[in-house]
């Protein structure tokens, strides 16, 4: 134990970048995101942006696990709002902002935090007595509806190395709004979308992953199609364009060159594809049935191509599971 602690202490000491006294008279220590990288366990497709020193976790249920001693922990989070393009002739809607969740005791979503534009401090944990705690911080809302990045953590104790053990099974879910958990806590199906009512922790994939005791992550965007249609102009990016990158949406927002996702160091046992719902529109709504048939054949061709791309990315051993549901479209 003493040998282990000798290795831990230099990491903790190096991570600290400033301290201050709270109004209650307690000393607080802050750790930059960069210095935290060897201490925390990251989940999903996270991106560390070196110029800004920010660890972004924009995909549904992506985030990090942190272990610490003390009574409190708060995070400095950089947030960006996203605006969905309005229908022609309509005024622009208000920006969507990200929601972050704090999971305690393995499965208990204990706290939910709305992050607003810019960099701000948010309380993640508070207790009356000092102790050793482990928290998982996750993105509850989807990538295309607001960005969130960790700038720093601050505690009245010390951040410790998180347990880096790996679950025996790893799953990736590729999908659209169904995988994101779009509106899964809305009061009704016709309620206007709000990121506060999109709970990725209770999405189908996240629930399945936890029940299987698996490490899991999502690459999902509401409204996304497998591939751009042949005859109609595309509505946003397709999953064929998105999947190979760590986070192409963040790269565009920051004006960076998108980085390729490192599939070799993030091997998956199972990859679940739940796409097709948003590929239906250009097929169903053509009055020219010959063109509709051509679009359907084109979808089949491009869907097969996408499966091949997923296979190439994930290697020969991963199971690829293709599904459509729960929406009853015929593709």
């Amino acid at each position: 134990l003493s040998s282990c602690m000798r290795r831990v202490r230099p990491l903790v000491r190096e991570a600290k970048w400033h301290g201050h006294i709270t109004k209650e008279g307690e000393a607080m220590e802050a750790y930059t995101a960069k210095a935290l990288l060897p201490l925390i366990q990251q989940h999903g497709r996270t991106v560390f942006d070196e110029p800004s020193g920010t660890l972004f976790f924009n995909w549904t249920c992506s985030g990090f696990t942190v272990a610490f001693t003390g009574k409190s922990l708060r995070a400095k989070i950089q947030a960006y709002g996203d605006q969905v393009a309005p229908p022609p002739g309509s005024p622009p809607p208000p920006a969507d902002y990200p929601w972050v969740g704090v999971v305690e005791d393995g499965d208990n979503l204990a706290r939910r935090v709305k992050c607003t534009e810019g960099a701000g401090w948010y309380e993640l944990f508070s207790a009356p007595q000092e102790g050793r705690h482990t928290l998982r911080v996750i993105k509850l809302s989807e990538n295309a509806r607001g960005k969130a990045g960790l700038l720093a953590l601050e505690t009245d104790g010390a951040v410790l190395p998180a347990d880096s053990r790996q679950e025996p099974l790893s799953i990736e879910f590729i999908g659209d709004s169904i995988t994101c958990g779009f509106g899964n806590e809305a009061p009704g199906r016709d309620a206007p979308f709000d990121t506060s009512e999109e709970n990725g922790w209770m999405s189908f994939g996240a629930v399945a992953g936890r029940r299987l005791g698996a490490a899991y992550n999502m690459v999902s965007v509401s409204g996304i199609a497998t591939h751009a249609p042949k005859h109609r102009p595309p509505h946003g990016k397709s999953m064929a364009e998105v999947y190979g990158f760590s986070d192409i949406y963040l790269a565009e927002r920051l004006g960076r060159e998108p980085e390729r996702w490192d599939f070799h160091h993030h091997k998956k046992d199972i990859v679940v594809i739940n796409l097709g719902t948003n590929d239906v529109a250009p097929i169903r709504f053509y009055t020219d049935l010959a063109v509709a048939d051509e679009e359907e054949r084109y979808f089949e061709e491009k869907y097969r191509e996408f499966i091949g791309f997923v296979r190439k990315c994930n290697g020969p051993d991963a199971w690829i599971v293709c599904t459509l549901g729960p929406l009853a479209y015929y593709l």
Side-chain angles (χ1 to χ4, degrees):
L1 179 60
S2 61
S3 172
C4 176
M5 289 308 294
R6 282 197 296 272
R7 293 196 298 272
V8 168
R9 283 179 184 132
L11 282 175
V12 174
R13 192 163 52 245
E14 179 186 340
K16 297 176 181 179
W17 61 282
H18 73 76
H20 75 273
I21 305 297
T22 66
K23 62 182 180 181
E24 290 81 15
E26 296 176 334
M28 301 289 285
E29 294 290 349
Y31 302 74
T32 65
K34 184 173 184 177
L36 284 164
L37 293 179
L39 299 174
I40 60 177
Q41 181 184 9
Q42 298 178 48
H43 306 287
R45 295 194 182 189
T46 57
V47 176
F48 182 72
D49 180 57
E50 186 75 43
S52 64
T54 310
L55 178 65
F56 284 97
F57 52 105
N58 295 319
W59 295 106
T60 302
C61 284
S62 65
F64 58 91
T65 292
V66 56
F68 68 99
T69 59
K71 294 186 291 185
S72 66
L73 182 75
R74 64 179 195 152
K76 189 175 187 181
I77 294 177
Q78 174 68 54
Y80 297 109
D82 283 319
Q83 247 179 336
V84 176
S90 300
D96 295 310
Y97 288 100
W99 279 76
V100 169
V102 181
V103 179
E104 300 176 16
D105 304 322
D107 198 21
N108 175 33
L109 183 59
R111 183 166 300 197
R112 298 161 76 151
V113 177
K114 181 182 182 179
C115 303
T116 53
E117 190 74 29
W121 286 98
Y122 302 90
E123 184 177 76
L124 302 181
F125 179 85
S126 179
Q129 301 296 327
E130 184 175 343
R132 191 188 196 304
H133 309 281
T134 299
L135 305 178
R136 180 168 176 166
V137 180
I138 61 167
K139 181 91 174 310
L140 294 174
S141 53
E142 64 181 277
N143 190 341
R145 300 293 190 116
K147 312 288 184 285
L150 177 68
L151 288 166
L153 290 175
E154 188 176 69
T155 178
D156 59 341
V159 175
L160 305 174
D163 183 1
S164 59
R165 67 181 179 85
Q166 299 296 314
E167 286 86 349
L169 183 68
S170 60
I171 308 176
E172 182 167 71
F173 296 93
I174 306 171
D176 47 39
S177 59
I178 301 167
T179 304
C180 294
F182 184 98
N184 60 354
E185 292 185 340
R189 61 172 293 164
D190 297 321
F193 175 78
D194 193 287
T195 49
S196 66
E197 298 165 353
E198 184 177 55
N199 184 354
W201 185 248
M202 292 305 297
S203 62
F204 293 113
V207 172
R210 292 196 297 278
R211 290 192 178 185
L212 292 171
Y216 60 89
N217 73 283
M218 280 77 158
V219 182
S220 56
V221 181
S222 290
I224 201 166
T226 310
H227 201 280
K230 186 173 185 178
H231 293 291
R232 291 170 65 122
H235 178 69
K237 290 180 172 54
S238 68
M239 188 57 75
E241 299 171 275
V242 169
Y243 183 68
F245 297 98
S246 302
D247 190 342
I248 196 169
Y249 297 101
L250 174 67
E252 288 185 351
R253 183 62 185 261
L254 299 180
R256 314 270 196 258
E257 188 69 27
E259 65 175 32
R260 292 280 177 181
W261 180 241
D262 186 354
F263 289 94
H264 178 73
H265 289 100
H266 297 88
K267 291 185 181 298
K268 302 298 174 186
D269 299 304
I270 304 170
V271 180
V272 178
I273 304 173
N274 186 12
L275 294 171
T277 297
N278 298 304
D279 295 87
V280 171
I283 298 170
R284 288 185 67 190
F285 297 111
Y286 272 117
T287 54
D288 186 332
L289 296 182
V291 176
D293 287 343
E294 186 181 357
E295 279 286 5
E296 186 165 354
R297 290 193 298 272
Y298 186 73
F299 164 76
E300 292 174 358
E301 173 191 339
K302 292 302 178 181
Y303 190 90
R304 287 177 181 273
E305 280 185 17
F306 183 68
I307 296 172
F309 179 51
V310 172
R311 169 62 70 208
K312 181 180 179 181
C313 290
N314 290 279
D317 299 323
W319 284 85
I320 297 177
V321 181
C322 302
T323 182
L324 177 69
L327 302 189
Y329 284 138
Y330 64 86
L331 283 179

